[in-house]
């Protein structure tokens, strides 16, 4: 499973991509939320990072742009 294969401390963009892969493979948001130990809303919010322009996604990955709740 994509979500379970993440390294120990993934950045938010890695999480978002893994969540999207899991959903593409047929897992539900509820299942992904349970695996991560987070709420479904948090999963949906993490997915929204994939809607950012590529330049901003890169900044999130590099730790130059912080993601807050």
């Amino acid at each position: 499973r994509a979500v379970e294969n993440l390294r120990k401390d993934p950045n938010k963009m890695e999480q978002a991509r893994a969540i999207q892969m899991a959903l593409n493979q047929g897992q539900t948001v509820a299942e992904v939320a349970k695996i991560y130990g987070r709420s479904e809303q948090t999963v949906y919010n993490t997915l929204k990072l994939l809607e950012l322009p590529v330049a901003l996604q890169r900044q999130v990955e590099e730790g130059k742009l912080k993601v807050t709740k």
Side-chain angles (χ1 to χ4, degrees), residues 9-58:
D9 188 25
N11 67 51
K12 293 291 185 182
M13 291 309 306
E14 290 173 327
Q15 288 178 18
R17 289 186 194 104
I19 290 168
Q20 187 62 61
M21 284 177 52
L23 296 176
N24 291 346
Q25 294 173 0
Q27 287 184 277
T28 66
V29 170
E31 290 170 334
V32 172
K34 185 176 181 179
I35 290 168
Y36 267 113
R38 298 201 168 71
S39 71
E40 290 181 35
Q41 187 61 51
T42 299
V43 171
Y44 283 118
N45 289 343
T46 302
L47 283 169
K48 288 182 182 231
L49 293 172
L50 298 173
E51 298 173 13
L52 290 172
V54 174
L56 291 179
Q57 288 184 29
R58 207 170 294 120

Side-chain angles (χ1 to χ4, degrees), residues 5 18 25 28 48 54 59 64 66 68:
N5 290 334
Q25 294 173 0
T28 66
K48 288 182 182 231
V54 174
Q59 287 182 0
K64 295 178 181 175
K66 297 288 182 191
T68 60

